[in-house]
């Protein structure tokens, strides 16, 4: 993998075809908006979408090497490590979100989006967010950001299984990313990513906004405490991402909020 700790691609790579951009899309972080933005930047160039982190990765692995070498973008709900399947240098980007806000948005999305595989179970059982956490309904409620930023080995990790050593691994991986953004500043995130990748600025569309989203004021204290308990390591990772993001903004000359 290309070492991108400096977070600015060498001019030689920008003049050539550039790296394969890997957008590690963490659920409910504003990633659909960035997905559309990425496709605008790379319009007409080959890309591969990962919706299922196992099956779609196998599809990628099954492509001829020459076809994988032409990919300008691989994006979706994937675990860190996809670069190992690609012949060209890769540049990871991602966006993180305050864990409580992410979980509230996730629960609301599961209830609202008809195709979601857990929607019927939640609605039939009249499951509150507290019920979902108590049942360990989905690992997406449990330190999901750390999970995705470790490796594919975390795919089968049970609810409550994320460890501090995994947090350390996720931090190390995040340090190697070309750019890291935050949902709370989607436009600023796009700007630092464009600078890292040598792209011109484009506006970020707003996509997949959950209409009837649960707010903090709607949630009782014990449930909020349980969300924080289940995502304590994600909160630490988000703090680390925020520090990276602020450094990138200063380097890009962007104003602080």
């Amino acid at each position: 993998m290309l070492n991108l700790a400096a977070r600015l691609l060498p001019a030689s790579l920008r003049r050539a075809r550039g790296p394969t951009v890997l957008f590690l899309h963490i659920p409910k972080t504003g990633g659909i908006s960035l997905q559309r933005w990425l496709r605008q930047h790379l319009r007409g160039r080959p890309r591969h979408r990962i919706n299922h982190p196992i099956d779609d990765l196998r599809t990628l692995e099954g492509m001829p090497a020459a076809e994988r070498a032409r990919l300008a973008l691989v994006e979706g709900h994937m675990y860190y490590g996809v670069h190992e399947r690609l012949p060209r240098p890769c540049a990871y980007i991602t966006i993180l979100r305050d864990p409580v806000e992410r979980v509230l948005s996730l629960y609301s999305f599961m209830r609202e989006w008809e195709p979601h595989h857990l929607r019927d179970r939640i609605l039939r059982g009249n499951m509150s967010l507290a019920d979902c956490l108590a049942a360990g309904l989905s690992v997406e409620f449990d330190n999901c950001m750390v999970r995705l930023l470790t490796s594919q080995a975390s795919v089968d990790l049970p609810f409550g299984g994320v460890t501090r050593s995994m947090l350390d691994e996720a931090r190390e991986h995040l340090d190697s990313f070309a750019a890291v953004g935050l949902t709370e500043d989607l436009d600023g995130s796009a700007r630092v990513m464009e600078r890292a990748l040598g792209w011109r600025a484009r506006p970020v569309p707003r996509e997949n906004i959950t209409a009837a989203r649960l707010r903090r004021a709607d949630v009782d204290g014990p449930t909020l405490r349980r969300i924080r308990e289940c995502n304590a390591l994600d909160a630490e990772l988000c703090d680390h991402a925020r520090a990276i993001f602020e450094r990138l903004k200063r380097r890009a000359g962007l104003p602080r909020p």
Side-chain angles (χ1 to χ4, degrees):
M1 188 182 87
L2 181 66
N3 181 2
L4 292 173
R7 296 188 176 78
L8 288 177
L9 295 177
S12 58
L13 271 179
R14 293 201 298 271
R15 286 194 298 268
R17 290 187 303 171
T20 300
V21 177
L22 303 182
F23 174 41
L24 196 154
H25 177 187
I26 298 168
K28 306 315 297 175
T29 58
I32 297 296
S33 297
L34 279 184
Q35 176 191 105
R36 179 68 61 87
W37 168 84
L38 281 166
R39 291 178 179 182
Q40 290 172 351
H41 271 293
L42 298 168
R43 184 171 296 161
R45 299 186 63 189
R47 65 177 186 266
H48 181 73
R49 170 74 184 168
I50 294 181
N51 291 309
H52 191 283
I54 298 176
D55 295 342
D56 293 338
L57 185 60
R58 288 174 180 157
T59 301
L60 177 66
E61 291 172 333
M63 288 181 183
E67 186 175 347
R68 281 183 280 127
R70 287 193 294 270
L71 289 172
L73 172 67
V74 178
E75 43 94 6
H77 300 314
M78 57 188 176
Y79 288 75
Y80 179 86
V82 173
H83 64 279
E84 296 170 355
R85 280 84 170 175
L86 296 167
R88 278 169 56 194
C90 295
Y92 276 96
I93 59 174
T94 194
I95 186 164
L96 283 78
R97 186 177 191 176
D98 174 88
V100 172
E101 293 298 323
R102 198 194 70 80
V103 167
L104 294 177
S105 180
L106 176 65
Y107 172 71
S108 303
F109 176 70
M110 287 178 171
R111 288 178 54 90
E112 181 179 303
W113 193 54
E114 290 188 11
H116 198 284
H117 69 286
L118 292 173
R119 182 174 185 265
D120 287 346
R121 182 175 172 185
I122 291 172
L123 296 183
R124 279 201 311 266
N126 194 26
M127 295 180 73
S128 65
L129 177 52
D131 294 332
C132 294
L133 295 171
L137 185 66
S138 170
V139 294
E140 289 186 29
F141 288 120
D142 176 58
N143 287 309
C144 180
M145 294 188 284
V146 170
R147 289 171 183 271
L148 293 177
L149 284 160
T150 50
S151 74
Q152 193 77 19
S154 301
V155 167
D156 296 320
L157 197 69
F159 199 100
V162 178
T163 65
R164 181 156 291 277
S165 64
M166 290 174 63
L167 170 62
D168 293 339
E169 183 180 0
R171 282 173 170 155
E172 183 178 345
H173 290 162
L174 208 56
D175 286 338
S176 73
F177 275 37
V180 175
L182 296 175
T183 305
E184 64 201 52
D185 187 356
L186 208 56
D187 291 320
S189 299
R191 299 294 83 78
V192 299
M193 290 175 184
E194 285 164 342
R195 186 175 191 271
L197 295 166
W199 294 347
R200 294 181 178 178
R202 286 180 178 269
V204 182
R206 295 304 192 264
E207 304 279 346
N208 200 36
I209 298 173
T210 305
R213 194 172 85 75
L214 200 63
R215 309 290 174 182
R216 288 189 192 228
D218 303 321
V219 182
D220 60 77
T223 300
L224 284 174
R225 284 194 294 274
R226 183 58 182 151
I227 294 171
R228 293 187 181 102
E229 288 170 1
C230 292
N231 294 274
L233 298 180
D234 264 7
E236 292 189 46
L237 183 63
C238 200
D239 287 342
H240 187 70
R242 187 168 288 107
I244 293 172
F245 179 57
E246 290 302 325
R247 288 198 300 270
L248 291 172
K249 285 182 68 177
R250 287 195 298 272
R251 184 174 299 168
L254 297 174
R256 299 183 66 180

